[in-house]
Amino acid sequence: DMLRAILLYLSKATWARNLVTRWRFARRAASRFVAGDTLEEAIQAIAALNQRGLLATLDHLGEDVTNAEEAKRSADEYLELMDRISASGAKSNASVKLSQLGLVLDFDLCLDNMRRILRKASACGMMVRIDMEDSSTVDRTLQLRRALKGEGLENSGLAFQSYLFRTEEDVRASLAEGIRIRLCKGAYKEPAEIAYPRKADVDASYDRVARMMIDASQALGAQAPSPDGKIPPIVALGTHDGKRIQAAKDYAAKVGFPKQALEFQMLYGIRADLQNRLAAEGYPVRVYVPFGTSWYPYFMRRLAERPANLWFFLSNFFR
Ligand code: FDA
């Protein structure tokens, strides 16, 4: 639809970022989806989630860095972030975007940065989730993960998007390697040659791939997340869609898949009621917690997902 396309275009447009980030009310609206500017604020937000029985995955906002220095600094910030998680005892791991580590600039630069991150994560007993970005980055993302695995660094997980035609095959291959997967619908603007344009097809693909993940995890012994929250199970379903969640729960119950091995993930500030309910039912629930000052593209994708958020955004102007 038109509105989604416009908002996703604006999420990538420098002129729009420069404009919108100058508005105080935009920052105020974005704060619904962002845990704060600083690492300390994010760690406090995670403590509050942990108190509600929820796990977290911490994301330092930032993407599409423009030079090697910035990319290296992003990686350094992740090293610090993992130290803080460990020191604070937060039940959390980390999520990272490879474009933030220089993937689009230089593959080897990104590889170096991610290598440092995974070594530190390994020392912390943590898995790091690699977010999936627009379709032009999928091959390089898989290639980079494979290269690091070849060096013995296996503690990264992947995210896949059910709107892409290729995802079913990508997930099948990844499951065969025992990779931990987060399944989501996909948040970028993709052409109809490679992605389902109709929501019903994206949803059907989601349910199909979720069943595949449950079957594969069942065959591997259906592990739960680690009690310290640092290692997620094979199956993580990142969605706020009650129908997708119900379909996965029903299928899991039918095949005798344990609740403890079926992790649901949601974004900070979205459907807290559902997060609590699933946790009370006995499923692991992990909240994706973004923090930092580079909130613009993340915030715009959240607006694009739900037109009602646009009214929420504008209402902040009048407050
Ligand atoms: P859908 O969009 O159909 O929404 C279902 C319902 O959820 C809505 O009716 C509404 O109630 C609620 N909802 C959804 N979005 C909302 C919003 N923004 N504000 C308020 N309510 C909302 N994408 C990607 O491309 N790469 C990635 O790595 C990730 N990672 C990721 C991690 C986690 C933990 C989550 C939850 C999501 C992602 N995503 C992502 C984003 C994902 O692809 C998708 O864009 C959003 O989750 C919205 O889709 P839903 O599955 O929630 O369904």
PDB file of all heavy atoms in Angstrom, residues 32-33 131-132 159 161 163 182 184-188 199 238-241 265-267 270-271 288 302 305-306 309, ligand 1:
ATOM      1  N   ARG A  32       8.515   6.066  22.561  1.00  0.00           N
ATOM      2  CA  ARG A  32       7.650   4.921  22.861  1.00  0.00           C
ATOM      3  C   ARG A  32       8.309   3.608  22.444  1.00  0.00           C
ATOM      4  O   ARG A  32       8.080   2.565  23.044  1.00  0.00           O
ATOM      5  CB  ARG A  32       6.317   5.084  22.120  1.00  0.00           C
ATOM      6  CG  ARG A  32       5.450   3.847  22.251  1.00  0.00           C
ATOM      7  CD  ARG A  32       4.201   3.894  21.426  1.00  0.00           C
ATOM      8  NE  ARG A  32       3.680   2.544  21.222  1.00  0.00           N
ATOM      9  CZ  ARG A  32       2.705   2.239  20.411  1.00  0.00           C
ATOM     10  NH1 ARG A  32       2.115   3.177  19.697  1.00  0.00           N
ATOM     11  NH2 ARG A  32       2.306   0.996  20.285  1.00  0.00           N
ATOM     12  N   PHE A  33       9.125   3.668  21.367  1.00  0.00           N
ATOM     13  CA  PHE A  33       9.715   2.449  20.811  1.00  0.00           C
ATOM     14  C   PHE A  33      11.193   2.281  21.165  1.00  0.00           C
ATOM     15  O   PHE A  33      11.809   1.307  20.763  1.00  0.00           O
ATOM     16  CB  PHE A  33       9.591   2.458  19.279  1.00  0.00           C
ATOM     17  CG  PHE A  33       8.173   2.568  18.787  1.00  0.00           C
ATOM     18  CD1 PHE A  33       7.714   3.720  18.175  1.00  0.00           C
ATOM     19  CD2 PHE A  33       7.301   1.497  18.940  1.00  0.00           C
ATOM     20  CE1 PHE A  33       6.404   3.819  17.726  1.00  0.00           C
ATOM     21  CE2 PHE A  33       5.993   1.584  18.494  1.00  0.00           C
ATOM     22  CZ  PHE A  33       5.540   2.749  17.881  1.00  0.00           C
ATOM     23  N   ASP A 131      20.340  -9.252  12.786  1.00  0.00           N
ATOM     24  CA  ASP A 131      19.082  -8.810  12.171  1.00  0.00           C
ATOM     25  C   ASP A 131      19.207  -8.956  10.662  1.00  0.00           C
ATOM     26  O   ASP A 131      20.305  -8.850  10.115  1.00  0.00           O
ATOM     27  CB  ASP A 131      18.816  -7.331  12.486  1.00  0.00           C
ATOM     28  CG  ASP A 131      18.410  -7.082  13.940  1.00  0.00           C
ATOM     29  OD1 ASP A 131      18.173  -8.051  14.675  1.00  0.00           O
ATOM     30  OD2 ASP A 131      18.334  -5.895  14.327  1.00  0.00           O
ATOM     31  N   MET A 132      18.081  -9.171   9.981  1.00  0.00           N
ATOM     32  CA  MET A 132      18.139  -9.205   8.516  1.00  0.00           C
ATOM     33  C   MET A 132      17.655  -7.868   7.984  1.00  0.00           C
ATOM     34  O   MET A 132      16.631  -7.352   8.409  1.00  0.00           O
ATOM     35  CB  MET A 132      17.284 -10.348   7.961  1.00  0.00           C
ATOM     36  CG  MET A 132      17.564 -10.654   6.504  1.00  0.00           C
ATOM     37  SD  MET A 132      19.281 -11.126   6.156  1.00  0.00           S
ATOM     38  CE  MET A 132      19.236 -12.896   6.455  1.00  0.00           C
ATOM     39  N   ALA A 159      18.158 -13.868  11.450  1.00  0.00           N
ATOM     40  CA  ALA A 159      16.741 -13.508  11.350  1.00  0.00           C
ATOM     41  C   ALA A 159      16.340 -13.694   9.892  1.00  0.00           C
ATOM     42  O   ALA A 159      17.116 -13.358   8.986  1.00  0.00           O
ATOM     43  CB  ALA A 159      16.523 -12.064  11.781  1.00  0.00           C
ATOM     44  N   GLN A 161      12.958 -13.422   6.919  1.00  0.00           N
ATOM     45  CA  GLN A 161      11.740 -12.645   6.655  1.00  0.00           C
ATOM     46  C   GLN A 161      10.777 -13.437   5.775  1.00  0.00           C
ATOM     47  O   GLN A 161      11.120 -13.794   4.649  1.00  0.00           O
ATOM     48  CB  GLN A 161      12.143 -11.347   5.944  1.00  0.00           C
ATOM     49  CG  GLN A 161      13.143 -10.506   6.736  1.00  0.00           C
ATOM     50  CD  GLN A 161      14.051  -9.672   5.851  1.00  0.00           C
ATOM     51  OE1 GLN A 161      14.473 -10.112   4.788  1.00  0.00           O
ATOM     52  NE2 GLN A 161      14.377  -8.471   6.312  1.00  0.00           N
ATOM     53  N   TYR A 163       8.335 -12.585   4.057  1.00  0.00           N
ATOM     54  CA  TYR A 163       7.861 -11.982   2.805  1.00  0.00           C
ATOM     55  C   TYR A 163       8.730 -12.344   1.606  1.00  0.00           C
ATOM     56  O   TYR A 163       8.291 -12.218   0.473  1.00  0.00           O
ATOM     57  CB  TYR A 163       7.638 -10.471   2.922  1.00  0.00           C
ATOM     58  CG  TYR A 163       8.794  -9.534   3.232  1.00  0.00           C
ATOM     59  CD1 TYR A 163      10.130  -9.889   3.091  1.00  0.00           C
ATOM     60  CD2 TYR A 163       8.515  -8.226   3.652  1.00  0.00           C
ATOM     61  CE1 TYR A 163      11.158  -8.988   3.362  1.00  0.00           C
ATOM     62  CE2 TYR A 163       9.525  -7.316   3.937  1.00  0.00           C
ATOM     63  CZ  TYR A 163      10.852  -7.706   3.793  1.00  0.00           C
ATOM     64  OH  TYR A 163      11.855  -6.817   4.056  1.00  0.00           O
ATOM     65  N   ARG A 182      15.380 -16.410  14.164  1.00  0.00           N
ATOM     66  CA  ARG A 182      14.227 -15.568  14.469  1.00  0.00           C
ATOM     67  C   ARG A 182      13.456 -15.389  13.159  1.00  0.00           C
ATOM     68  O   ARG A 182      14.023 -14.924  12.161  1.00  0.00           O
ATOM     69  CB  ARG A 182      14.641 -14.195  14.987  1.00  0.00           C
ATOM     70  CG  ARG A 182      13.441 -13.235  15.101  1.00  0.00           C
ATOM     71  CD  ARG A 182      13.845 -11.775  15.018  1.00  0.00           C
ATOM     72  NE  ARG A 182      14.683 -11.406  16.139  1.00  0.00           N
ATOM     73  CZ  ARG A 182      15.647 -10.495  16.046  1.00  0.00           C
ATOM     74  NH1 ARG A 182      15.911  -9.887  14.909  1.00  0.00           N
ATOM     75  NH2 ARG A 182      16.376 -10.193  17.102  1.00  0.00           N
ATOM     76  N   CYS A 184      10.577 -13.386  11.189  1.00  0.00           N
ATOM     77  CA  CYS A 184       9.677 -12.233  11.215  1.00  0.00           C
ATOM     78  C   CYS A 184       9.067 -12.074   9.828  1.00  0.00           C
ATOM     79  O   CYS A 184       9.391 -12.830   8.919  1.00  0.00           O
ATOM     80  CB  CYS A 184      10.429 -10.984  11.674  1.00  0.00           C
ATOM     81  SG  CYS A 184      11.914 -10.652  10.744  1.00  0.00           S
ATOM     82  N   LYS A 185       8.182 -11.118   9.666  1.00  0.00           N
ATOM     83  CA  LYS A 185       7.530 -10.962   8.352  1.00  0.00           C
ATOM     84  C   LYS A 185       8.419 -10.180   7.396  1.00  0.00           C
ATOM     85  O   LYS A 185       8.414 -10.438   6.195  1.00  0.00           O
ATOM     86  CB  LYS A 185       6.183 -10.258   8.519  1.00  0.00           C
ATOM     87  CG  LYS A 185       5.140 -11.102   9.256  1.00  0.00           C
ATOM     88  CD  LYS A 185       3.761 -10.460   9.186  1.00  0.00           C
ATOM     89  CE  LYS A 185       2.790 -11.183  10.116  1.00  0.00           C
ATOM     90  NZ  LYS A 185       1.431 -10.585  10.071  1.00  0.00           N
ATOM     91  N   GLY A 186       9.151  -9.191   7.915  1.00  0.00           N
ATOM     92  CA  GLY A 186       9.994  -8.361   7.056  1.00  0.00           C
ATOM     93  C   GLY A 186       9.531  -6.928   7.066  1.00  0.00           C
ATOM     94  O   GLY A 186       8.342  -6.655   6.963  1.00  0.00           O
ATOM     95  N   ALA A 187      10.476  -5.990   7.192  1.00  0.00           N
ATOM     96  CA  ALA A 187      10.130  -4.596   7.446  1.00  0.00           C
ATOM     97  C   ALA A 187      10.572  -3.634   6.342  1.00  0.00           C
ATOM     98  O   ALA A 187      10.451  -2.426   6.496  1.00  0.00           O
ATOM     99  CB  ALA A 187      10.741  -4.153   8.772  1.00  0.00           C
ATOM    100  N   TYR A 188      11.095  -4.154   5.221  1.00  0.00           N
ATOM    101  CA  TYR A 188      11.633  -3.261   4.194  1.00  0.00           C
ATOM    102  C   TYR A 188      10.745  -3.258   2.955  1.00  0.00           C
ATOM    103  O   TYR A 188       9.822  -4.054   2.842  1.00  0.00           O
ATOM    104  CB  TYR A 188      13.070  -3.674   3.851  1.00  0.00           C
ATOM    105  CG  TYR A 188      13.984  -3.576   5.061  1.00  0.00           C
ATOM    106  CD1 TYR A 188      14.030  -4.604   6.010  1.00  0.00           C
ATOM    107  CD2 TYR A 188      14.733  -2.427   5.294  1.00  0.00           C
ATOM    108  CE1 TYR A 188      14.832  -4.499   7.138  1.00  0.00           C
ATOM    109  CE2 TYR A 188      15.537  -2.325   6.420  1.00  0.00           C
ATOM    110  CZ  TYR A 188      15.583  -3.359   7.335  1.00  0.00           C
ATOM    111  OH  TYR A 188      16.370  -3.238   8.450  1.00  0.00           O
ATOM    112  N   LYS A 199      -0.428  -9.481   1.803  1.00  0.00           N
ATOM    113  CA  LYS A 199      -0.251  -9.801   3.217  1.00  0.00           C
ATOM    114  C   LYS A 199      -0.638 -11.252   3.526  1.00  0.00           C
ATOM    115  O   LYS A 199       0.024 -11.928   4.330  1.00  0.00           O
ATOM    116  CB  LYS A 199      -1.094  -8.826   4.043  1.00  0.00           C
ATOM    117  CG  LYS A 199      -0.790  -8.845   5.519  1.00  0.00           C
ATOM    118  CD  LYS A 199      -1.438  -7.657   6.219  1.00  0.00           C
ATOM    119  CE  LYS A 199      -1.585  -7.912   7.715  1.00  0.00           C
ATOM    120  NZ  LYS A 199      -0.429  -8.537   8.356  1.00  0.00           N
ATOM    121  N   GLY A 238       9.340 -13.847  15.888  1.00  0.00           N
ATOM    122  CA  GLY A 238       9.278 -12.401  16.115  1.00  0.00           C
ATOM    123  C   GLY A 238       8.061 -11.824  15.425  1.00  0.00           C
ATOM    124  O   GLY A 238       8.112 -11.507  14.236  1.00  0.00           O
ATOM    125  N   THR A 239       6.971 -11.707  16.150  1.00  0.00           N
ATOM    126  CA  THR A 239       5.750 -11.150  15.568  1.00  0.00           C
ATOM    127  C   THR A 239       4.805 -10.693  16.678  1.00  0.00           C
ATOM    128  O   THR A 239       4.868 -11.204  17.796  1.00  0.00           O
ATOM    129  CB  THR A 239       5.015 -12.181  14.674  1.00  0.00           C
ATOM    130  OG1 THR A 239       3.850 -11.569  14.112  1.00  0.00           O
ATOM    131  CG2 THR A 239       4.602 -13.422  15.453  1.00  0.00           C
ATOM    132  N   HIS A 240       3.938  -9.711  16.346  1.00  0.00           N
ATOM    133  CA  HIS A 240       2.886  -9.293  17.272  1.00  0.00           C
ATOM    134  C   HIS A 240       1.537  -9.766  16.767  1.00  0.00           C
ATOM    135  O   HIS A 240       0.501  -9.371  17.287  1.00  0.00           O
ATOM    136  CB  HIS A 240       2.856  -7.764  17.406  1.00  0.00           C
ATOM    137  CG  HIS A 240       4.206  -7.147  17.512  1.00  0.00           C
ATOM    138  ND1 HIS A 240       4.918  -6.726  16.413  1.00  0.00           N
ATOM    139  CD2 HIS A 240       4.988  -6.920  18.582  1.00  0.00           C
ATOM    140  CE1 HIS A 240       6.086  -6.255  16.807  1.00  0.00           C
ATOM    141  NE2 HIS A 240       6.160  -6.369  18.113  1.00  0.00           N
ATOM    142  N   ASP A 241       1.544 -10.582  15.732  1.00  0.00           N
ATOM    143  CA  ASP A 241       0.308 -11.002  15.068  1.00  0.00           C
ATOM    144  C   ASP A 241      -0.317 -12.183  15.824  1.00  0.00           C
ATOM    145  O   ASP A 241       0.197 -13.311  15.772  1.00  0.00           O
ATOM    146  CB  ASP A 241       0.649 -11.382  13.615  1.00  0.00           C
ATOM    147  CG  ASP A 241      -0.587 -11.743  12.808  1.00  0.00           C
ATOM    148  OD1 ASP A 241      -1.639 -12.044  13.410  1.00  0.00           O
ATOM    149  OD2 ASP A 241      -0.495 -11.737  11.565  1.00  0.00           O
ATOM    150  N   GLN A 265       9.078 -13.397  20.332  1.00  0.00           N
ATOM    151  CA  GLN A 265       9.822 -12.143  20.466  1.00  0.00           C
ATOM    152  C   GLN A 265       8.967 -10.980  19.962  1.00  0.00           C
ATOM    153  O   GLN A 265       8.295 -11.101  18.936  1.00  0.00           O
ATOM    154  CB  GLN A 265      11.124 -12.209  19.657  1.00  0.00           C
ATOM    155  CG  GLN A 265      12.051 -13.346  20.094  1.00  0.00           C
ATOM    156  CD  GLN A 265      13.448 -13.258  19.483  1.00  0.00           C
ATOM    157  OE1 GLN A 265      13.690 -12.495  18.552  1.00  0.00           O
ATOM    158  NE2 GLN A 265      14.361 -14.046  20.022  1.00  0.00           N
ATOM    159  N   MET A 266       8.990  -9.903  20.704  1.00  0.00           N
ATOM    160  CA  MET A 266       8.260  -8.695  20.289  1.00  0.00           C
ATOM    161  C   MET A 266       9.124  -7.466  20.491  1.00  0.00           C
ATOM    162  O   MET A 266      10.138  -7.510  21.187  1.00  0.00           O
ATOM    163  CB  MET A 266       6.956  -8.572  21.084  1.00  0.00           C
ATOM    164  CG  MET A 266       5.983  -9.684  20.716  1.00  0.00           C
ATOM    165  SD  MET A 266       4.400  -9.540  21.515  1.00  0.00           S
ATOM    166  CE  MET A 266       4.035 -11.294  21.701  1.00  0.00           C
ATOM    167  N   LEU A 267       8.685  -6.376  19.878  1.00  0.00           N
ATOM    168  CA  LEU A 267       9.461  -5.144  19.961  1.00  0.00           C
ATOM    169  C   LEU A 267       9.079  -4.345  21.207  1.00  0.00           C
ATOM    170  O   LEU A 267       7.915  -4.351  21.627  1.00  0.00           O
ATOM    171  CB  LEU A 267       9.235  -4.288  18.711  1.00  0.00           C
ATOM    172  CG  LEU A 267       9.588  -4.949  17.368  1.00  0.00           C
ATOM    173  CD1 LEU A 267       9.253  -4.003  16.205  1.00  0.00           C
ATOM    174  CD2 LEU A 267      11.058  -5.346  17.315  1.00  0.00           C
ATOM    175  N   ILE A 270       5.580  -2.443  22.075  1.00  0.00           N
ATOM    176  CA  ILE A 270       4.462  -2.959  21.282  1.00  0.00           C
ATOM    177  C   ILE A 270       3.853  -4.205  21.940  1.00  0.00           C
ATOM    178  O   ILE A 270       4.564  -5.149  22.250  1.00  0.00           O
ATOM    179  CB  ILE A 270       4.907  -3.286  19.836  1.00  0.00           C
ATOM    180  CG1 ILE A 270       5.478  -2.030  19.167  1.00  0.00           C
ATOM    181  CG2 ILE A 270       3.741  -3.844  19.017  1.00  0.00           C
ATOM    182  CD1 ILE A 270       5.932  -2.220  17.739  1.00  0.00           C
ATOM    183  N   ARG A 271       2.564  -4.167  22.162  1.00  0.00           N
ATOM    184  CA  ARG A 271       1.783  -5.291  22.691  1.00  0.00           C
ATOM    185  C   ARG A 271       2.345  -5.879  23.990  1.00  0.00           C
ATOM    186  O   ARG A 271       2.501  -7.104  24.120  1.00  0.00           O
ATOM    187  CB  ARG A 271       1.641  -6.393  21.633  1.00  0.00           C
ATOM    188  CG  ARG A 271       0.811  -6.012  20.411  1.00  0.00           C
ATOM    189  CD  ARG A 271      -0.612  -5.576  20.728  1.00  0.00           C
ATOM    190  NE  ARG A 271      -1.382  -6.471  21.566  1.00  0.00           N
ATOM    191  CZ  ARG A 271      -2.179  -7.432  21.109  1.00  0.00           C
ATOM    192  NH1 ARG A 271      -2.299  -7.641  19.824  1.00  0.00           N
ATOM    193  NH2 ARG A 271      -2.882  -8.159  21.944  1.00  0.00           N
ATOM    194  N   TYR A 288      12.736  -7.124  22.162  1.00  0.00           N
ATOM    195  CA  TYR A 288      13.805  -6.472  21.402  1.00  0.00           C
ATOM    196  C   TYR A 288      13.891  -5.026  21.882  1.00  0.00           C
ATOM    197  O   TYR A 288      12.949  -4.251  21.703  1.00  0.00           O
ATOM    198  CB  TYR A 288      13.440  -6.549  19.922  1.00  0.00           C
ATOM    199  CG  TYR A 288      14.472  -6.047  18.946  1.00  0.00           C
ATOM    200  CD1 TYR A 288      15.277  -6.941  18.245  1.00  0.00           C
ATOM    201  CD2 TYR A 288      14.611  -4.690  18.679  1.00  0.00           C
ATOM    202  CE1 TYR A 288      16.205  -6.491  17.318  1.00  0.00           C
ATOM    203  CE2 TYR A 288      15.542  -4.232  17.763  1.00  0.00           C
ATOM    204  CZ  TYR A 288      16.330  -5.151  17.080  1.00  0.00           C
ATOM    205  OH  TYR A 288      17.246  -4.702  16.156  1.00  0.00           O
ATOM    206  N   ARG A 302       8.582   1.453  12.116  1.00  0.00           N
ATOM    207  CA  ARG A 302       7.473   1.148  13.042  1.00  0.00           C
ATOM    208  C   ARG A 302       6.210   1.895  12.611  1.00  0.00           C
ATOM    209  O   ARG A 302       5.107   1.385  12.723  1.00  0.00           O
ATOM    210  CB  ARG A 302       7.839   1.508  14.486  1.00  0.00           C
ATOM    211  CG  ARG A 302       9.105   0.850  15.024  1.00  0.00           C
ATOM    212  CD  ARG A 302       9.019  -0.645  15.215  1.00  0.00           C
ATOM    213  NE  ARG A 302       9.166  -1.490  14.061  1.00  0.00           N
ATOM    214  CZ  ARG A 302      10.331  -1.873  13.490  1.00  0.00           C
ATOM    215  NH1 ARG A 302      11.481  -1.439  13.936  1.00  0.00           N
ATOM    216  NH2 ARG A 302      10.327  -2.694  12.452  1.00  0.00           N
ATOM    217  N   GLU A 305       4.616   0.108   9.574  1.00  0.00           N
ATOM    218  CA  GLU A 305       3.925  -1.145   9.876  1.00  0.00           C
ATOM    219  C   GLU A 305       2.483  -0.928  10.283  1.00  0.00           C
ATOM    220  O   GLU A 305       1.667  -1.828  10.196  1.00  0.00           O
ATOM    221  CB  GLU A 305       4.627  -1.850  11.055  1.00  0.00           C
ATOM    222  CG  GLU A 305       5.844  -2.615  10.640  1.00  0.00           C
ATOM    223  CD  GLU A 305       6.835  -2.766  11.787  1.00  0.00           C
ATOM    224  OE1 GLU A 305       6.491  -2.435  12.942  1.00  0.00           O
ATOM    225  OE2 GLU A 305       7.952  -3.195  11.505  1.00  0.00           O
ATOM    226  N   ARG A 306       2.212   0.249  10.793  1.00  0.00           N
ATOM    227  CA  ARG A 306       0.895   0.441  11.363  1.00  0.00           C
ATOM    228  C   ARG A 306       0.473   1.891  11.235  1.00  0.00           C
ATOM    229  O   ARG A 306       0.922   2.750  11.985  1.00  0.00           O
ATOM    230  CB  ARG A 306       0.929   0.025  12.842  1.00  0.00           C
ATOM    231  CG  ARG A 306      -0.432  -0.137  13.431  1.00  0.00           C
ATOM    232  CD  ARG A 306      -0.401  -1.017  14.659  1.00  0.00           C
ATOM    233  NE  ARG A 306      -1.745  -1.139  15.202  1.00  0.00           N
ATOM    234  CZ  ARG A 306      -2.181  -0.449  16.248  1.00  0.00           C
ATOM    235  NH1 ARG A 306      -1.402   0.407  16.855  1.00  0.00           N
ATOM    236  NH2 ARG A 306      -3.408  -0.631  16.671  1.00  0.00           N
ATOM    237  N   ASN A 309      -0.119   4.298  14.020  1.00  0.00           N
ATOM    238  CA  ASN A 309       1.017   4.929  14.696  1.00  0.00           C
ATOM    239  C   ASN A 309       1.285   6.332  14.178  1.00  0.00           C
ATOM    240  O   ASN A 309       1.881   7.156  14.853  1.00  0.00           O
ATOM    241  CB  ASN A 309       2.283   4.090  14.524  1.00  0.00           C
ATOM    242  CG  ASN A 309       2.262   2.841  15.390  1.00  0.00           C
ATOM    243  OD1 ASN A 309       1.499   2.765  16.346  1.00  0.00           O
ATOM    244  ND2 ASN A 309       3.093   1.878  15.045  1.00  0.00           N
TER     245      ASN A 309
HETATM  246  P1  FDA B   1       1.627  -7.268  11.423  1.00  0.00           P
HETATM  247  O1  FDA B   1       2.345  -6.136  10.799  1.00  0.00           O
HETATM  248  O2  FDA B   1       0.660  -8.030  10.601  1.00  0.00           O
HETATM  249  O3  FDA B   1       0.903  -6.752  12.717  1.00  0.00           O
HETATM  250  C1  FDA B   1       0.061  -7.550  13.524  1.00  0.00           C
HETATM  251  C2  FDA B   1      -0.440  -6.734  14.709  1.00  0.00           C
HETATM  252  O4  FDA B   1       0.658  -6.409  15.548  1.00  0.00           O
HETATM  253  C3  FDA B   1      -1.052  -5.395  14.351  1.00  0.00           C
HETATM  254  O5  FDA B   1      -2.394  -5.511  14.054  1.00  0.00           O
HETATM  255  C4  FDA B   1      -0.779  -4.597  15.604  1.00  0.00           C
HETATM  256  O6  FDA B   1      -1.713  -4.918  16.598  1.00  0.00           O
HETATM  257  C5  FDA B   1       0.546  -5.080  16.038  1.00  0.00           C
HETATM  258  N1  FDA B   1       1.643  -4.271  15.480  1.00  0.00           N
HETATM  259  C6  FDA B   1       2.493  -4.618  14.491  1.00  0.00           C
HETATM  260  N2  FDA B   1       3.395  -3.646  14.239  1.00  0.00           N
HETATM  261  C7  FDA B   1       3.104  -2.662  15.089  1.00  0.00           C
HETATM  262  C8  FDA B   1       3.673  -1.390  15.322  1.00  0.00           C
HETATM  263  N3  FDA B   1       4.722  -0.943  14.626  1.00  0.00           N
HETATM  264  N4  FDA B   1       3.120  -0.631  16.280  1.00  0.00           N
HETATM  265  C9  FDA B   1       2.073  -1.049  16.997  1.00  0.00           C
HETATM  266  N5  FDA B   1       1.490  -2.250  16.819  1.00  0.00           N
HETATM  267  C10 FDA B   1       1.990  -3.047  15.884  1.00  0.00           C
HETATM  268  N6  FDA B   1      12.181  -7.102  10.405  1.00  0.00           N
HETATM  269  C11 FDA B   1      13.202  -7.305   9.538  1.00  0.00           C
HETATM  270  O7  FDA B   1      13.061  -7.049   8.356  1.00  0.00           O
HETATM  271  N7  FDA B   1      14.398  -7.780   9.995  1.00  0.00           N
HETATM  272  C12 FDA B   1      14.592  -8.111  11.303  1.00  0.00           C
HETATM  273  O8  FDA B   1      15.684  -8.575  11.661  1.00  0.00           O
HETATM  274  C13 FDA B   1      13.513  -7.913  12.210  1.00  0.00           C
HETATM  275  N8  FDA B   1      13.648  -8.201  13.538  1.00  0.00           N
HETATM  276  C14 FDA B   1      12.534  -8.190  14.349  1.00  0.00           C
HETATM  277  C15 FDA B   1      12.633  -8.636  15.658  1.00  0.00           C
HETATM  278  C16 FDA B   1      11.498  -8.730  16.457  1.00  0.00           C
HETATM  279  C17 FDA B   1      11.617  -9.250  17.854  1.00  0.00           C
HETATM  280  C18 FDA B   1      10.225  -8.333  15.925  1.00  0.00           C
HETATM  281  C19 FDA B   1       8.981  -8.441  16.735  1.00  0.00           C
HETATM  282  C20 FDA B   1      10.155  -7.831  14.654  1.00  0.00           C
HETATM  283  C21 FDA B   1      11.283  -7.738  13.860  1.00  0.00           C
HETATM  284  N9  FDA B   1      11.218  -7.232  12.568  1.00  0.00           N
HETATM  285  C22 FDA B   1      12.302  -7.403  11.723  1.00  0.00           C
HETATM  286  C23 FDA B   1      10.015  -6.484  12.101  1.00  0.00           C
HETATM  287  C24 FDA B   1       9.036  -7.388  11.405  1.00  0.00           C
HETATM  288  O9  FDA B   1       9.570  -7.802  10.169  1.00  0.00           O
HETATM  289  C25 FDA B   1       7.688  -6.675  11.154  1.00  0.00           C
HETATM  290  O10 FDA B   1       7.896  -5.558  10.361  1.00  0.00           O
HETATM  291  C26 FDA B   1       6.969  -6.232  12.420  1.00  0.00           C
HETATM  292  O11 FDA B   1       7.145  -7.151  13.463  1.00  0.00           O
HETATM  293  C27 FDA B   1       5.448  -6.064  12.179  1.00  0.00           C
HETATM  294  O12 FDA B   1       4.887  -7.278  11.757  1.00  0.00           O
HETATM  295  P2  FDA B   1       4.046  -8.259  12.694  1.00  0.00           P
HETATM  296  O13 FDA B   1       4.638  -9.611  12.561  1.00  0.00           O
HETATM  297  O14 FDA B   1       4.002  -7.753  14.070  1.00  0.00           O
HETATM  298  O15 FDA B   1       2.618  -8.370  11.999  1.00  0.00           O
END
